[in-house]
Amino acid sequence: MLSDAKKKANAKWDKAHMMILGCKVRKDFAAQFREACAAAGTTPNAVLKQAAEQFLKEHAVSEGKTAVEECA
């Protein structure tokens, strides 16, 4: 179990370094997607993050590097 101090520190770090990406989809589509992810033993977040990383690998950004490579 995390202490309150650790939770606060994690929240501060997340606020400074993380961002949420999102898209609107119909509720029935979202439910079907969540079910498919669960059946595959993964999460919607993991699937979307993998898709975003693959897209960045295929589409170079500034100076011929991808954002994924720049973060590595």
Side-chain angles (χ1 to χ4, degrees), residues 23-38 44:
C23 64
K24 286 185 178 183
V25 295
R26 295 183 60 92
K27 288 183 180 185
D28 57 336
F29 179 87
Q32 186 178 14
F33 182 62
R34 285 189 182 118
E35 288 177 22
C37 290

Side-chain angles (χ1 to χ4, degrees), residues 7-54:
K7 288 179 187 177
K8 185 176 179 181
N10 286 352
K12 182 179 178 182
W13 188 91
D14 282 353
K15 185 175 182 179
H17 298 97
M18 303 297 281
M19 178 182 285
I20 295 173
L21 295 176
C23 64
K24 286 185 178 183
V25 295
R26 295 183 60 92
K27 288 183 180 185
D28 57 336
F29 179 87
Q32 186 178 14
F33 182 62
R34 285 189 182 118
E35 288 177 22
C37 290
T42 189
T43 64
N45 188 67
V47 173
L48 296 173
K49 185 174 178 189
Q50 181 182 15
E53 287 173 349
Q54 184 62 39

Side-chain angles (χ1 to χ4, degrees), residues 44-71:
N45 188 67
V47 173
L48 296 173
K49 185 174 178 189
Q50 181 182 15
E53 287 173 349
Q54 184 62 39
F55 183 87
L56 288 175
K57 285 178 185 176
E58 295 171 1
H59 298 83
V61 292
S62 64
E63 300 178 19
K65 291 185 177 180
T66 67
V68 172
E69 292 169 338
E70 291 173 359
C71 292

